[in-house]
Amino acid sequence: MSASFEVLSSTGSYSVMIESGVFLRYLREMSNAVILSDSFFAPALAAAGVSATFIEATENIKSLEASPKIIENMRRLGANRRTELVALGGGIIQDVSAFIASIYMRGLKWTYVPTTLLAMVDSCIGGKSSINVGSYKNLVGTFHPPVRVLIDPELAQTLPIDQRVSGMIEAVKICFCRGAEAFDRHLSHLPELETNTVDLEEIILNSLLAKKWFIEIDEFDKNERLLLNFGHTFGHAIEGASHYAVSHGIAVGLGILCALAFEEGRSIRCQLAPRVQRLATHLDEMIRKVPEIAGVLADLDLDEVLVRFESDKKHGSERFTLILVNEHGEPVIRQIEKCAAIKSELKQAVHTTLVRYAR
Ligand SMILES: NC(=O)c1ccc[n+]([C@@H]2O[C@H](COP(=O)([O-])OP(=O)(O)OC[C@H]3O[C@@H](n4cnc5c(N)ncnc54)[C@H](O)[C@@H]3O)[C@@H](O)[C@H]2O)c1
Ligand SMILES: [Zn+2]
């Protein structure tokens, strides 16, 4: 199977192709391109006789300080305004490459080849780049979509289990937010982690078509696209407090469960809608596939999680901004008063959620 579609953006449309083997075919056709690659692929590219600039996929590299070295290296390789950048890697390489592509000689065209499941099902479309500044994650960035996204599901075969779970959780979150059809289709693919590449192609396509709706209707994150932050305020707090030992998608899954526990803890409504319960059950099954996080969660400092929760840039000065669910089971943006009672309920929600997965 192969699939392709276009994503509309303010800077023009770009194509997305999902096909096993597409990356190697593209490599053979390429000339005048500078490749920025996750160092994980150094042996594979060397074997294919392709030279590239290799980058360790760590959060430190997503920084203003790390950029000049990469930029200078591109210049040494002769990159000029007509050079096309090709980025091969997960979200870290994507963020670095999109950022550099947007500023190098005031902007280069670039092609993105996502290699983590999370990047394949989620971050590869949307056009955002995010760079960390000091201890602030994703504080600065640009909108600079690639000219094409080439998704080769075969590249996902080498991913460890936590990376697979991480991607699947972002995918189910997007599909849940999009609505019943996308959500049911995702669950009907029985997204087992050992899925063959055909199933994987369908899971990726379903998730990206759902995300396409959000980014086309709200490219700059003002309304509908904000719903995709479901689970992220708690999730980023858990991810950060664990010093990234809990991978992003798994932290988001835990974050969604925290948001639901917070919702349940408030006396407004005692029962979550059936589709929300299906989501919670599914997330629980996914998170339990990674028992290694138990020790990390047991050591997590709840107060630090709460401090990080409160420092989220989406909150206002008087109110927290949270994505919760309404009585129909749809995600909604809610503003919640910052007061001692609410903070205690938030802490309780994090505690009851994490304790289920901690040793
Ligand atoms: N720009 C966006 O829209 C956006 C959206 C979501 C997340 N992000 C960012 O993405 C980053 C997380 O990215 P990620 O989760 O995709 O992973 P990653 O880029 O952090 O990579 C995770 C690990 O997997 C390895 N890896 C990559 N591909 C592999 C493969 N095919 N086989 C085996 N190992 C492989 C990497 O070397 C690394 O060790 C975060 O910094 C996050 O902020 C950006
Ligand atoms: Zn995310």
Side-chain angles (χ1 to χ4, degrees):
M1 180 201 136
S2 78
S4 63
F5 60 92
E6 295 276 311
V7 177
L8 303 178
S9 88
S10 54
T11 53
S13 63
Y14 53 99
S15 64
V16 179
M17 171 166 275
I18 309 172
E19 191 179 319
S20 288
V22 68
F23 174 55
L24 277 182
R25 268 199 304 286
Y26 179 70
L27 266 189
R28 279 185 220 113
E29 291 164 12
M30 230 168 31
S31 63
N32 190 30
V34 164
I35 304 176
L36 298 184
S37 168
D38 187 320
S39 23
F40 177 83
F41 295 99
L45 291 187
V50 176
S51 55
T53 299
F54 293 105
I55 299 173
E56 286 293 329
T58 62
E59 286 290 327
N60 294 342
I61 207 82
K62 265 181 55 167
S63 64
L64 296 169
E65 295 82 351
S67 302
K69 207 169 155 206
I70 301 168
I71 291 169
E72 277 180 316
N73 198 38
M74 284 170 57
R75 188 67 190 126
R76 268 195 295 276
L77 292 171
N80 58 38
R81 260 179 263 168
R82 288 170 305 283
T83 301
E84 187 169 313
L85 194 69
V86 177
L88 175 69
I92 289 186
I93 306 301
Q94 174 188 353
D95 274 336
V96 170
S97 305
F99 182 66
I100 289 177
S102 68
I103 57 173
Y104 190 91
M105 295 190 176
R106 297 193 189 80
L108 295 184
K109 290 182 176 170
W110 70 293
T111 292
Y112 181 39
V113 184
T115 65
T116 59
L117 195 52
L118 185 138
M120 291 181 191
V121 299
D122 179 8
S123 66
C124 69
I125 61 171
K128 282 188 201 169
S129 75
S130 301
I131 294 291
N132 306 327
V133 181
S135 62
Y136 297 100
K137 188 169 155 68
N138 294 344
L139 187 67
V140 299
T142 52
F143 272 99
H144 188 66
V147 290
R148 70 183 70 73
V149 178
L150 301 175
I151 304 174
D152 187 340
E154 275 173 24
L155 294 174
Q157 298 304 319
T158 47
L159 288 170
I161 182 88
D162 69 317
Q163 283 290 328
R164 286 165 172 260
V165 169
S166 198
M168 287 296 192
I169 289 179
E170 286 280 15
V172 76
K173 176 217 70 183
I174 295 169
C175 295
F176 173 84
C177 289
R178 178 68 185 96
E181 203 181 320
F183 184 47
D184 289 348
R185 199 176 301 125
H186 180 85
L187 295 183
S188 76
H189 282 310
L190 285 179
E192 290 300 323
L193 297 165
E194 299 74 27
T195 39
N196 60 42
T197 48
V198 176
D199 289 328
L200 213 50
E201 278 176 30
E202 282 171 5
I203 288 164
I204 294 166
L205 180 63
N206 188 41
S207 177
L208 289 182
L209 290 179
K211 180 163 176 184
K212 172 179 148 76
W213 182 85
F214 286 98
I215 61 181
E216 287 185 343
I217 205 165
D218 178 24
E219 183 176 4
F220 297 109
D221 251 342
K222 303 281 182 236
N223 298 300
E224 293 85 351
R225 190 171 175 181
L226 293 172
L227 295 176
L228 297 180
N229 288 319
F230 192 25
H232 278 63
T233 307
F234 287 108
H236 281 147
I238 295 166
E239 188 184 12
S242 79
H243 305 288
Y244 301 98
V246 179
S247 23
H248 177 75
I250 296 174
V252 167
L254 291 165
I256 292 175
L257 294 176
C258 290
L260 299 181
F262 175 68
E263 186 82 75
E264 271 186 309
R266 300 159 88 210
S267 49
I268 307 167
R269 228 173 307 126
C270 34
Q271 267 241 305
L272 295 171
R275 73 185 296 264
V276 181
Q277 285 171 3
R278 278 172 78 202
L279 174 69
T281 306
H282 177 74
L283 289 174
D284 178 66
E285 285 166 11
M286 298 300 281
I287 294 167
R288 288 191 192 284
K289 289 180 193 289
V290 192
E292 300 76 22
I293 60 169
V296 180
L297 295 183
D299 292 343
L300 221 55
D301 178 348
L302 273 198
D303 290 319
E304 188 184 344
V305 175
L306 263 290
V307 168
R308 285 176 181 268
F309 175 95
E310 289 188 35
S311 73
D312 190 295
K313 56 185 185 247
K314 289 182 288 301
H315 300 313
S317 56
E318 314 246 304
R319 290 169 193 278
F320 294 123
T321 306
L322 259 188
I323 314 296
L324 297 170
V325 284
N326 65 16
E327 59 274 32
H328 308 296
E330 296 152 347
V332 282
I333 303 173
R334 291 224 201 278
Q335 307 292 330
I336 294 157
E337 195 192 347
K338 290 183 180 174
C339 62
I342 290 289
K343 288 182 190 177
S344 149
E345 285 176 35
L346 289 166
K347 190 170 179 179
Q348 186 57 35
V350 175
H351 173 73
T352 49
T353 304
L354 297 191
V355 82
R356 285 162 53 197
Y357 304 101
R359 229 192 334 259

